[in-house]
Amino acid sequence: MHRPDIDSERVIRIERDILAKNNDAARQNRARLAATGTLALNLMSSPGSGKTTLLVRAIEDLKAKFPISVIEGDQQTENDAERIRATGARAVQINTGKGCHLEAGMVGAALDDIKAEPGGLLFIENVGNLVCPAGFDLGEAHKVVVLSVTEGEDKPLKYPDMFAVADLLLLNKADLLPHLKFDVGKCLAAALTVNPHLQTLVVSAETGEGMAAFYAWIEARASLSRAAAVAQA
Ligand SMILES: Nc1nc2c(ncn2[C@@H]2O[C@H](COP(=O)(O)OP(=O)(O)OP(=O)(O)O)[C@@H](O)[C@H]2O)c(=O)[nH]1
Ligand SMILES: [Mg+2]
Ligand SMILES: [Zn+2]
């Protein structure tokens, strides 16, 4: 909100209403996902950190074990959904137009289209943006932030909100480290300064380095989601 003609109290009221509406929709999504024992992960990063590349590889490696669906968020184009569909997974593309993040209501509408199979994985790829997606609960089980080594090790300090709300950091493009002055330890320390509970994995979506640990992380949480749905039924 940068309109000088709207007074600041009104801006705060509008923001509060938007977030309250979002939180209601997120609660509904979370209940739906819990009923089917679906593990939903919300992937967030700056544009180009490698979210879709990570998803394509993860789907290829996990599709024998889980039914997998993907909700793709971008301002424009169907490109990422097409990359996902090439793996055989179901994908719904949401175009946000001028919007710069996904909201829970959009995810709820996409869930109607997807009809996720019970006990599966749902990956939500948020709009490439390291700032405001952090503020919107989509009903996911976990938020995963992707940062690539070409972006600079101080990003967690500059954009702390995203790292504060995430449960897992995937530090991607590790294959490029030999070509860069990038201190992995310093970057992870910055992330942990912002969020001491953040779990961190160093990966390459290009070579597959480190991905087994990500899959183990997913599988552990997917079995908890399945067990909770069985207990609830
Ligand atoms: N070297 C290297 N390149 C990568 C890796 N992961 C992704 N890339 C490249 O980074 C570029 C962007 O990757 P995408 O997967 O499209 O990134 P994204 O985060 O989905 O981008 P948006 O959806 O536009 O926000 C592509 O050229 C990928 O090939 C990696 O691990 N190593
Ligand atoms: Mg993408
Ligand atoms: Zn936004």
Side-chain angles (χ1 to χ4, degrees):
M1 287 282 192
H2 302 286
R3 285 181 48 186
D5 55 322
I6 301 182
D7 69 73
S8 60
E9 241 174 68
R10 199 168 154 229
V11 169
I12 290 167
R13 201 163 60 235
I14 292 168
E15 284 183 348
R16 210 191 301 124
D17 291 350
I18 289 171
L19 286 176
K21 199 171 138 224
N22 185 77
N23 287 342
D24 283 345
R27 257 192 298 278
Q28 289 173 31
N29 293 346
R30 190 163 282 120
R32 274 173 89 171
L33 294 163
T36 53
T38 304
L39 177 71
L41 302 179
N42 176 6
L43 274 84
M44 300 178 287
S45 81
S46 326
S49 304
K51 298 177 294 300
T52 310
T53 312
L54 280 164
L55 286 180
V56 166
R57 183 177 275 270
I59 292 166
E60 292 293 357
D61 292 338
L62 294 172
K63 67 185 180 188
K65 287 189 178 165
F66 300 95
I68 303 178
S69 315
V70 179
I71 296 172
E72 281 291 343
D74 287 291
Q75 287 197 319
Q76 298 291 349
T77 84
E78 187 90 8
N79 294 356
D80 282 2
E82 281 164 8
R83 286 165 68 190
I84 298 294
R85 286 185 199 119
T87 68
R90 286 182 233 205
V92 173
Q93 180 78 51
I94 299 172
N95 284 142
T96 56
K98 299 239 178 283
C100 44
H101 58 266
L102 289 178
E103 294 186 14
M106 303 171 186
V107 170
L111 284 176
D112 294 340
D113 291 343
I114 281 186
K115 296 183 185 69
E117 287 173 53
L121 306 179
L122 172 69
F123 294 111
I124 305 167
E125 180 180 336
N126 220 310
V127 179
N129 175 349
L130 207 48
V131 184
C132 53
F136 291 83
D137 182 9
L138 303 180
E140 72 283 324
H142 299 284
K143 290 182 165 70
V144 177
V145 58
V146 180
L147 180 68
S148 61
V149 297
T150 50
E151 294 170 69
E153 62 230 346
D154 59 348
K155 287 300 168 293
L157 299 175
K158 286 184 174 170
Y159 301 93
D161 291 356
M162 181 60 76
F163 297 84
V165 298
D167 299 306
L168 176 66
L169 163 64
L170 296 178
L171 185 58
N172 190 35
K173 309 197 186 182
D175 59 290
L176 298 178
L177 283 170
H179 310 287
L180 303 167
K181 282 207 188 85
F182 181 94
D183 187 331
V184 172
K186 205 168 156 188
C187 179
L188 298 183
L192 291 171
T193 303
V194 171
N195 177 359
H197 303 293
L198 187 66
Q199 298 175 67
T200 61
L201 293 172
V202 180
V203 301
S204 167
E206 182 70 29
T207 66
E209 172 188 346
M211 292 294 281
F214 180 41
Y215 303 154
W217 188 96
I218 290 174
E219 285 176 43
R221 281 151 188 85
S223 60
L224 292 180
S225 297
R226 283 175 172 177
V230 171
Q232 202 185 56

